[in-house]
């Protein structure tokens, strides 16, 4: 049976009976109020969020500058959809006429913002394409679905209709993120509930802990939603999904720690209020330190050039704050209200055995042969980390962002078979008016460009083709004048390759070098992807060292030592490397993913290091507490024995919640789900169970250097 490590605790004064009742009741009422306002916002996050990549680019990026300048050349900010019509053989005149009728019908839809182009047949005559501008303020997913229904109904028999282009891929992303409010949340909560039932084998306690997590999420969502509505924060489907998982997982972990301490204290005192007060006092430091570490790591994302990364920092930090608050206020209030009955039918008594025999045997093994244990464990981890270079994290095509079936991807494939690959997603070039012809010559000389048009005011289509001899317009007696804005002209270059291909990216990079001499800047879909990947790589190289330094300082302050924090950081980084290496093998040879976004290692690092350190904090704060009374060697053994069960349960819960992200068919989220879930389990069962305690035991009391504890044998 566990006894408090310090025997000189002063007698605790019990608060007055009315205070003991009023404070928990008030806390429960406050959280009920917050959750009642935050709960209805599930399903409404899309009203204050955006998945447009350009929105999240740095303001200095060329793609961002071009996007902002494009509004000066057109009154509409519509998102183009490309309708691709393919037949079994060559399209007849009658087929093309009926396709034209279908496009006329589509032009009357409310979501269509502007003129629908005529159907343009391919050179082989088998396909035709048309451009349909979709209102940027409309629900893109619904608009594309309605447009597809209209076109398919009016299209000739035997002609397949596919919708692609920027609007088509946006609709795919919207469909992929559609399950966040329902499916993701349901799977995560169900997984946590099952694990809690198995851990506690209680009827009431799993509901109490799960309610704490859900109330924390509802209240956090309330704050985040209104900040996003006020445009203080940027939200995307990706950020929303991570927020949900992070709050549920963290709040449950903190609750498990407090409940374990409460059950421990109930075995030493009869009064539930006294036991709860002791439990809260013993849990505040590790919970606040763990939450503070996660928040510090997340806030390092503010250094990111990409707004999609930098905005995740404060959004997720708000979630962690409410996870800590709920675990330290709402949960204790509920536990006080239910008392020992919360644990029924396994009600803790003073005669109960306080620790698990299994964890006692593990602790005994580590104490008896520490050097053999940590060397063998480290070798296995290093073997996994050796495969990190196999992770292809240099970006993936837009068409591969959504897993499973994709009409936009199929449409792009069909487009590439019959038209230039970059049709509908041109490279947009802003060039000074006096350098227009020089820029046109450079564009036309590039092998990866098939044709170039210039935005004009007089041309019926709003643009005219460009040749090496100057601007010409079909059927016009004289070349129309280009539209000029602040002395600049907009050129659009159709790329020979698909806009999200590596070949198109290389073409745009080459154009940027060539056009720099004439003062032109290049934007568009391909340029946006390039700038996003470049910014992600910059963020990864900058933020990872900063996160390491910040968390190391926090650990030194928490443990009042230097050696132990360095040891903990080294083992956590090794664990992350192993998780990344194993993930690379799984992604390449089992799941056969096309690659990974450059932000995947960054997000995986921030989550795994910040969350993985949590378990080391839970362990080492207890080890330090026990070491003050029993010495370092015995303190490590006792700390591992006492915390083994609760930390393992917490790790399984967190891994299960992050694994739930894989139900959203977005490549980035599925990869993050695997890396973090596997890494957390690795931390829980290998690093915190074997490597850290064995290494600490082998080093001895020197781990507490330079504190006085490093000089105490007992």
């Amino acid at each position: 049976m566990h006894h408090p490590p310090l025997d000189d605790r002063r007698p605790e004064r019990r608060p007055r009976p009315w205070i003991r009742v009023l404070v928990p009741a008030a806390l429960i009422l406050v959280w009920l109020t917050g959750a009642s306002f935050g709960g209805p916002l599930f399903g409404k996050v899309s009203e204050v969020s955006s998945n447009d990549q350009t929105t999240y680019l740095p303001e200095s990026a060329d793609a961002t500058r071009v996007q902002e300048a494009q509004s000066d050349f057109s009154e509409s900010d519509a998102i183009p959809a490309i309708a691709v019509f393919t037949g079994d053989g060559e399209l007849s005149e009658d087929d093309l006429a009926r396709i034209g009728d279908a496009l006329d019908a589509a032009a009357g839809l409310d979501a269509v913002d502007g003129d629908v182009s005529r159907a343009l047949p391919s050179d082989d005559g088998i396909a035709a394409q048309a451009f349909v501008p979709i209102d940027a303020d409309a629900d893109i997913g619904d608009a594309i679905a309605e447009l597809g229904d209209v076109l398919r109904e009016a299209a000739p028999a035997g002609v397949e209709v596919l919708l692609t282009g920027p609007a088509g891929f946006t609709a795919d992303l919207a469909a992929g993120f559609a399950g966040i409010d329902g499916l993701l949340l349901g799977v995560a909560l169900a997984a946590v509930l099952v694990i809690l039932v198995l851990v506690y084998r209680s009827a009431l306690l799993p509901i109490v802990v799960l309610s704490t997590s859900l109330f924390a999420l509802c209240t956090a969502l309330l704050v985040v939603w209104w900040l996003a509505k006020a445009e203080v924060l940027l939200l995307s489907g990706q950020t929303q999904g991570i927020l949900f998982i992070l709050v549920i997982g963290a709040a449950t972990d903190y609750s498990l720690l407090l409940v374990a301490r409460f059950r421990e204290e109930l075995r030493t005192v009869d009064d539930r209020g006294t036991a709860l007060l002791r439990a809260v006092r013993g849990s505040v430091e590790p919970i606040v330190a763990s939450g503070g570490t996660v928040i510090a790591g997340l806030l390092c994302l503010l250094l990111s050039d990409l707004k999609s990364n930098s905005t995740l920092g404060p959004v997720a930090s708000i979630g962690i704050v409410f996870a800590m608050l709920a675990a330290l206020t709402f949960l204790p209030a509920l536990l006080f209200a239910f008392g020992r009955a919360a644990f029924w039918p396994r009600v803790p008594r003073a005669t109960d055995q306080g620790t698990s025999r299994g964890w006692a045997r593990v602790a005994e093994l580590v104490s008896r042969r520490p050097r053999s244990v940590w060397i063998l464990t480290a070798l296995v981890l290093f073997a996994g980390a050796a495969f990190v270079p196999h992770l292809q994290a240099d970006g993936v095509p837009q068409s591969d962002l959504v897993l499973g079936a994709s009409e936009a991807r199929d449409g792009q494939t069909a487009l590439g078979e019959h038209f230039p690959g970059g049709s509908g997603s041109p490279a947009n070039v802003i060039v000074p008016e006096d350098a227009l012809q020089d820029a046109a010559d450079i564009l036309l000389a590039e092998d990866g460009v098939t044709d170039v048009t210039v935005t004009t005011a007089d041309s019926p289509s709003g643009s005219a083709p460009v040749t090496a001899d100057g601007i010409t317009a079909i059927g016009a007696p004289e070349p129309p004048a280009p539209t000029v804005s602040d002395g600049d002209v907009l050129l659009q270059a159709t790329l020979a390759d698909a806009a999200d291909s590596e070949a198109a990216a290389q073409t745009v990079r080459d154009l940027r070098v060539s056009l720099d001499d004439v003062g032109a800047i290049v934007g568009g879909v391909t340029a946006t992807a390039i700038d996003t990947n470049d910014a992600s790589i910059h963020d990864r190289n900058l933020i990872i060292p900063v996160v390491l330094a910040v968390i190391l300082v926090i650990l030194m302050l928490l443990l009042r030592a230097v050696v132990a924090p360095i040891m903990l950081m080294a083992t956590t980084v090794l664990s992350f490397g192993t998780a990344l290496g194993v993930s690379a093998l799984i992604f390449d040879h089992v799941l056969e993913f096309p690659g990974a976004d450059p932000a995947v290692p960054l997000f995986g690092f921030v989550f795994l290091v910040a969350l993985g350190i949590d378990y080391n904090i839970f362990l080492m704060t207890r080890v330090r507490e026990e070491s003050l009374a029993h010495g370092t060697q015995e303190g490590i053994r006792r700390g591992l024995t006492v915390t083994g069960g609760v930390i393992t349960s917490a790790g399984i819960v967190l891994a299960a919640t992050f694994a739930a992200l894989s139900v959203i068919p977005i490549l980035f989220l599925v990869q993050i789900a695997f890396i973090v879930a596997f890494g957390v389990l690795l931390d829980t069962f290998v690093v915190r169970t074997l490597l850290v305690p064995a290494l600490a035991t082998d080093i001895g009391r020197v781990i507490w250097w330079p504190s006085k504890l490093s000089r105490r044998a007992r």
Side-chain angles (χ1 to χ4, degrees):
M1 182 173 63
H2 170 73
H3 294 284
L6 302 180
D7 299 324
D8 58 348
R9 286 193 288 196
R10 298 177 181 177
E12 293 165 293
R13 297 175 57 186
R14 295 185 183 181
R16 296 179 181 179
W18 65 271
I19 295 179
R20 289 162 61 95
V21 175
L22 183 61
V23 172
L27 290 173
I28 292 174
L29 181 61
V30 168
W31 281 100
L32 279 172
T33 302
S36 66
F37 283 104
L41 296 178
F42 287 104
K44 295 184 178 181
V45 179
S46 59
E47 298 176 8
V48 295
S49 65
S50 169
N51 293 310
D52 181 6
Q53 263 192 316
T54 311
T55 306
Y56 298 95
L57 282 173
E59 294 181 1
S60 60
D62 283 357
T64 308
R65 294 163 59 196
V66 171
Q67 180 71 17
E68 293 172 349
Q70 274 187 258
S71 60
D72 296 331
F73 296 92
S74 173
E75 296 180 358
S76 173
D77 59 352
I79 303 174
I82 305 175
V84 184
F85 304 87
T86 57
D88 297 331
E90 188 172 342
L91 296 175
S92 65
E93 291 295 330
D94 183 60
D95 289 337
L96 292 174
R98 294 190 61 182
I99 290 174
D101 293 339
L103 293 171
D104 290 339
L109 296 176
D110 293 337
V112 174
D113 181 22
D115 296 332
V116 177
S117 75
R118 293 177 301 171
L120 174 66
S122 61
D123 290 339
D124 59 15
I126 297 175
Q129 65 169 321
F131 301 93
V132 183
I134 303 297
D135 187 352
D137 295 328
D139 185 308
I140 303 299
D142 292 343
I144 289 295
E146 185 180 15
L147 175 62
D149 291 341
V150 170
L151 292 178
R152 291 185 183 96
E153 183 178 352
V159 173
E160 183 182 18
V161 180
L162 295 170
L163 295 176
T164 185
F169 284 112
T170 300
D172 273 359
L173 284 175
F177 284 120
I180 282 184
D181 290 326
L183 180 62
L184 173 62
L185 201 56
V187 169
L189 292 175
V192 172
L193 180 61
V194 170
I195 294 170
L196 291 176
V197 169
L198 294 176
V199 168
Y200 290 128
R201 283 168 276 180
S202 163
L204 184 58
L205 198 54
I207 304 300
V208 170
V209 172
L210 198 61
S211 298
T212 302
S213 302
L214 194 55
F215 275 50
L217 178 58
C218 289
T219 313
L221 181 61
L222 175 64
V223 174
V224 169
W225 195 92
W226 282 104
L227 288 175
K229 186 175 179 63
E231 299 183 354
V232 176
L233 296 174
L234 279 174
L235 268 183
S236 66
Q238 172 182 300
T239 303
Q240 178 188 350
I242 292 174
L243 172 68
F244 286 6
I245 291 304
L246 202 56
V247 173
I248 293 173
T252 305
D253 276 7
Y254 302 150
S255 298
L256 286 167
L257 185 66
L258 179 66
V259 169
R261 197 70 183 242
F262 181 47
R263 180 166 52 189
E264 193 177 320
E265 296 296 344
L266 285 175
R267 296 191 179 106
T268 64
V269 295
D270 293 328
D271 181 67
R272 61 179 174 180
T274 302
L276 186 60
L277 187 60
R278 289 182 181 180
V280 171
R281 286 175 177 171
S283 303
V284 164
E285 185 180 42
I287 288 177
V288 171
S290 299
T293 302
V294 177
I295 290 172
L298 290 169
L299 289 181
C300 289
L301 291 173
L302 288 171
L303 299 172
S304 171
D305 277 347
L306 278 177
K307 294 179 183 176
S308 56
N309 291 347
S310 62
T311 193
L312 175 64
V315 169
S317 296
I318 290 172
I320 295 296
V321 168
F322 281 101
M324 289 191 296
L325 289 175
L328 292 173
T329 58
F330 183 60
L331 178 61
L334 291 178
L335 291 176
F336 180 80
F338 292 112
R340 295 177 188 269
F343 296 88
W344 185 87
R346 304 179 69 196
V347 180
R349 305 293 182 188
T351 56
D352 291 347
Q353 180 70 30
T355 56
S356 165
R357 293 181 180 178
W359 286 107
R361 286 195 289 268
V362 172
E364 189 63 32
L365 169 65
V366 170
S367 298
R368 193 170 59 251
R369 306 190 65 181
R371 185 164 300 176
S372 299
V373 170
W374 78 256
I375 289 177
L376 180 61
T377 305
L379 288 175
V380 172
L381 294 175
F382 272 116
F387 294 97
V388 169
H390 289 258
L391 184 67
Q392 302 169 17
D394 52 1
V396 293
Q398 183 185 27
S399 55
D400 289 325
L401 293 179
V402 178
L403 301 175
S406 166
E407 181 182 348
R409 185 191 306 128
D410 295 340
Q412 180 171 282
T413 301
L415 198 66
E417 292 173 354
H418 305 285
F419 296 93
S423 296
S425 301
N428 299 315
V429 182
I430 303 292
V431 59
E433 184 182 12
D434 57 3
L436 173 59
Q437 192 59 57
D438 292 336
D441 292 342
I442 292 172
L443 289 169
L444 291 168
E446 177 63 45
D447 292 338
V449 174
T450 60
D451 61 73
V452 180
T453 59
V454 61
T455 301
T456 66
D458 301 327
S459 173
S461 63
S463 64
V466 173
T467 70
D469 298 324
I471 304 168
T472 62
I474 298 174
E478 294 182 1
T483 299
V484 181
S485 173
D486 295 329
D488 293 331
V489 179
L490 172 63
L491 289 171
Q492 293 187 310
T494 301
L495 304 178
D497 304 288
D500 61 354
S501 66
E502 183 58 38
Q506 188 57 53
T507 296
V508 170
R509 290 187 185 277
D510 292 342
L511 287 175
R512 282 180 164 175
V513 174
S514 303
L515 291 167
D516 186 59
D517 292 337
V518 298
I521 55 175
V522 183
V525 173
T526 307
T528 297
I530 291 172
D531 290 343
T532 300
N533 288 340
D534 290 349
S536 290
I537 293 171
H538 166 270
D539 293 345
R540 186 176 67 199
N541 296 338
L542 170 66
I543 294 174
I544 286 179
V546 174
V547 171
L548 285 173
V550 169
I551 294 180
L552 182 61
V553 170
I554 292 175
L555 288 175
M556 288 179 177
L557 295 174
L558 174 67
L559 298 177
R560 293 90 156 171
V562 171
V563 176
I566 292 176
M567 176 193 72
L568 294 179
M569 287 303 301
T571 56
T572 302
V573 170
L574 175 58
S575 174
F576 167 71
T578 304
L580 213 58
V582 173
S583 297
L585 293 177
I586 298 296
F587 294 165
D588 289 348
H589 303 293
V590 178
L591 301 177
E592 297 183 345
F593 286 153
D597 189 276
V600 166
L602 172 62
F603 278 42
F605 179 85
V606 171
F607 291 137
L608 273 183
V609 170
L611 296 171
I613 280 292
D614 275 6
Y615 303 128
N616 284 330
I617 288 176
F618 291 168
L619 170 66
M620 294 305 291
T621 52
R622 189 56 181 263
V623 166
R624 188 178 188 280
E625 181 181 334
E626 298 287 351
S627 297
L628 288 169
H630 306 287
T632 298
Q633 301 287 344
E634 180 65 12
I636 294 171
R637 189 187 68 79
R638 286 172 174 255
L640 178 58
T641 302
V642 172
T643 63
V646 63
I647 295 180
T648 301
S649 301
I652 294 173
V653 165
L654 192 62
T657 53
F658 265 93
L661 276 175
S662 61
V663 303
I664 304 300
I666 303 296
L667 179 63
F668 177 88
L669 293 181
V670 171
Q671 291 176 326
I672 288 294
F674 182 86
I675 291 173
V676 177
F678 178 75
V680 165
L681 292 177
L682 195 65
D683 269 332
T684 303
F685 287 99
V686 179
V687 177
R688 187 268 317 165
T689 301
L690 300 173
L691 182 59
V692 169
L695 192 55
T697 301
D698 198 18
I699 295 174
R701 63 176 184 262
V702 178
I703 62 171
W704 306 117
W705 183 88
S707 69
K708 293 181 180 179
L709 190 55
S710 66
R711 299 185 290 277
R712 290 176 54 184
R714 175 82 174 177

